[in-house]
Amino acid sequence: MALTGRRGAPSEHAFSPHDDVLRTAAPHVARRRFMTVTAAAAMLAFATNRPARGATAASELDAARVSADPFTLGVASGDPLSDSVLIWTRLAPEPFAEDGGLGRQRVVVSWEVALDEWFSFVGQRGTATAHPEYAHSVHVDVKGLMPDSHYYYRFRVGSWISPTGRTRTAPATGTDADGMRLAAVSCQAYQDGYFTALRHLAQEDVDVVFHLGDYLYEYPVDSAGGARRYTDRELPDVFNRETTTLADYRLRYALYKSDPDLRAAHARHPFVVTWDDHETENNYAGALDENGSPQEQFLVRRAAAYRAYWEHQPLRAEQLPQGPDARLYRRLAWGSLAQFDVLDTRQYRSDQAYGDRPHAPGSESDDPARTLTGAAQERWLLDGWRNSDALWNVMPQQVCFSQRKFDLTAPARVSMDAWDGYRACRDRVMAGAKAAGIDNWMVLTGDVHVGYAFDIKDDFDDPQSRTLGTEITCTSIASGGNGTRKPDNWDTYMKANPHLKYYDGRRGYARVELGRENARVDFRTVSAVNTPGGTISTTASFVTEVGSPGLKSA
C-alpha cells in the first residue's frame, strides 16, 4: 500500500561490488526480454555471489579478534516443523556500516539449543559459517528436535554471546492438537512511528507470529527517524534515500533490526514471514515497477531486494533467491489442527489494471488470463487443499481477499492492487476451496494499515449467499501513524460492504486462537505510535465456529 504519491526516478548513489555485478548482468537480460521472466532469472542466477570454496574462499577471521558485540541485530527463529526449526542471526558489530564492520572475511559461529533458558540441558550444538557474501548472516536448520516443545537458543563468537531466543516446534504430523495461538502482523514503516505493538506482542502467549509483508519500506528515513522525532540520536545519511541496491537494502534491514521492540518480538516467538511490495518497491507487479522502468533494470533491483530479505529473515535454504526469483510460498502444519498455506502475491502477478487506480471492475481487470498468484502457485494451493486433512485451513497472504467497495454508488470503485482487481483469479481460488470441501477456511491479510474482519461470501453482492470462510486483516505495526478508530470512510465502507463486520484504523495486530470447536479473534490496538510506551487493549473480539463459517461477536 502506498504511503506517498507516485515517485520520481531513484537518485544515483554509490554501489557496492555486488551491485556492480548485478548491473553487469542487466544487459544480458535486456537482450532476452522476449523470453520469460524465468529465463531472465536464469540469466541473473550467475550473479548470486555465492561463497567460494577452497583456495578462492574468503579468509577466516579469528573470532577472538572481534572486539565489539557482533549481535547488534538480535536473533530470530522461524518456520517451525515438528522436528526442526530455523534459527537466525547476523553478525554486525557496526550495523550501519556497509560491511557490518567485518569486512570480507568469514566468521565461524557456535550455536546451541537447550530445553531451558539457562542452557543446563543443551540438546543440540554446532558451528556455522557467517559468509561475507551473505552479509555475515547465519541460518541454521536445527533438526532432530522433539515435537510440540519449547526450546531456547543462542550464538557465540569468541567471547561474545548473543541474546537468548525462545522458539518451539509444531506438534507431530497428524497429532490432534487441542489448540494453538498465532498473531498476525504487517506494515512496519520505521519512519511512521515506534514499534510499540511488537513490544506488547513479545509479552503475549502465542505459538507463532505470521508477518504478512512490508517488513521494511524503501522510502528515505531522515536523521530524526521521521515521526519518531529523535532527540537523543542522529541517523546517518545512508538511510535518507530510497533503497535500490543490495547495499541499500542490507543497511535498511540493519536500521529496522536495530529497533529493540522488533528484536524482542523475534527473540520471543518463531516467525513465519512473507513479503508484500515495500520490501522491494511500492506496488510492483512481477517484473514491473510503478515507474515504468525497463524490466531488466527492475529485475536487478528485485534480485538485490530478495537477496537482502533472505539474509535478514529466519528462512531455510529452500527460500534462497536465484537472481530475481525466490520460492517463498510454502506450506506448514500444526498437527491435524491447522494447515497454513503461505502465499506470495507479488512475484507472479499480472500488472494492475486501469493504471493501478481505484476503478470499478471491468473487462480489463476481469480478464480471465490475469493472475495474482501465478498458475503454478494457484495449482499448488488448490492441490494442497484437496489433500488437506486439517481442521482449519489458514491462508496467510498480503492483500485484501474479500470484496471491498469504496463507494455507495454503482458501479463502485475497488482496489486494483488487491484481489478485487483480479476477480477471475479469486473466483478460481474460491471454487477450489468449495471443490476441496474446505469447511473452516481463514484468510490472514496485511497491507492496508487498518483492521478488518470479513465474512467471505460465495457471492459478495448477495449478503444472503453462503459464507465460505473468514478474513482477518491485522492493521499495521506503525505504517500510517497513530490512526483513528473510525476513519472518515468508515460509514461508507460499512454500508457498502455488509460482509465487513469490523473496521478500525489504529495500529496493532490480530491474535487468533484456533481450537477444536471454534476460532477466536482478538484485535489488539495500541494507544499511540508517535511516542514510545503506548498502552494496548483489545478493541473487538469475534468467534467463528467449526463447521459454521461466519464471524460472531465474542
Side-chain angles (χ1 to χ4, degrees), residues 283-321:
N283 281 14
Y284 79 92
L288 304 171
D289 71 4
E290 70 168 347
N291 295 316
S293 304
Q295 291 186 33
E296 64 274 9
Q297 176 181 320
F298 178 63
L299 286 174
V300 171
R301 180 179 181 179
R302 198 178 88 175
Y306 285 12
R307 174 65 168 267
Y309 184 85
W310 182 86
E311 290 172 345
H312 291 84
Q313 299 291 7
L315 291 166
R316 289 185 168 86
E318 289 85 349
Q319 278 72 55
L320 177 64

Side-chain angles (χ1 to χ4, degrees), residues 281-356:
E281 189 255 6
N282 178 55
N283 281 14
Y284 79 92
L288 304 171
D289 71 4
E290 70 168 347
N291 295 316
S293 304
Q295 291 186 33
E296 64 274 9
Q297 176 181 320
F298 178 63
L299 286 174
V300 171
R301 180 179 181 179
R302 198 178 88 175
Y306 285 12
R307 174 65 168 267
Y309 184 85
W310 182 86
E311 290 172 345
H312 291 84
Q313 299 291 7
L315 291 166
R316 289 185 168 86
E318 289 85 349
Q319 278 72 55
L320 177 64
Q322 300 295 313
D325 291 349
R327 168 71 181 266
L328 196 61
Y329 64 87
R330 59 206 188 277
R331 182 169 291 122
L332 301 168
W334 202 263
S336 65
L337 179 69
Q339 175 174 296
F340 298 97
D341 298 290
V342 184
L343 301 190
D344 172 1
T345 62
R346 282 293 161 190
Q347 186 174 180
Y348 313 106
R349 65 159 64 193
S350 308
D351 196 10
Q352 293 92 341
Y354 299 112
D356 197 16

Side-chain angles (χ1 to χ4, degrees), residues 353-354 357-367 403-407 410-416 419-424 426 461:
Y354 299 112
R357 297 182 302 273
H359 198 283
S363 58
E364 183 178 340
S365 60
D366 286 349
D367 183 346
Q403 180 171 280
R404 185 172 50 122
K405 292 181 177 179
F406 295 157
D407 312 303
R413 297 169 304 145
V414 295
S415 171
M416 291 296 106
W419 289 82
D420 276 334
Y422 303 80
R423 296 200 303 178
R426 182 172 64 193
D461 291 322

Side-chain angles (χ1 to χ4, degrees), residues 14 27 70 72 99 115 130 141 143 156 196 225 239 300 313 327 331 334 339 348 384 411 421 435 472 489 500 514 522:
T72 57
D99 63 0
L115 290 169
D141 191 357
K143 300 180 179 180
R156 184 192 300 267
T196 306
F239 301 120
V300 171
Q313 299 291 7
R327 168 71 181 266
R331 182 169 291 122
W334 202 263
Q339 175 174 296
Y348 313 106
I472 306 302
N489 56 16
L500 175 58
L514 301 175
D522 295 312

Side-chain angles (χ1 to χ4, degrees), residues 21-105:
V21 173
L22 289 174
R23 293 174 73 192
T24 301
H28 295 278
V29 181
R31 289 195 297 269
R32 294 161 175 82
R33 208 44 256 165
F34 59 89
M35 301 171 70
T36 64
V37 171
T38 300
M43 289 306 302
L44 276 174
F46 77 93
T48 55
N49 197 18
R50 292 173 179 269
R53 295 183 178 182
T56 60
S59 61
E60 182 178 326
L61 175 65
D62 181 358
R65 296 180 59 190
V66 178
S67 58
D69 181 9
F71 299 110
T72 57
L73 305 183
V75 299
S77 68
D79 282 18
L81 306 179
S82 61
D83 61 349
S84 71
V85 68
L86 193 288
I87 60 174
W88 171 96
T89 192
R90 181 192 161 199
L91 309 182
E94 298 176 30
F96 295 168
E98 187 171 311
D99 63 0
L102 290 175
R104 300 297 300 168
Q105 292 181 290

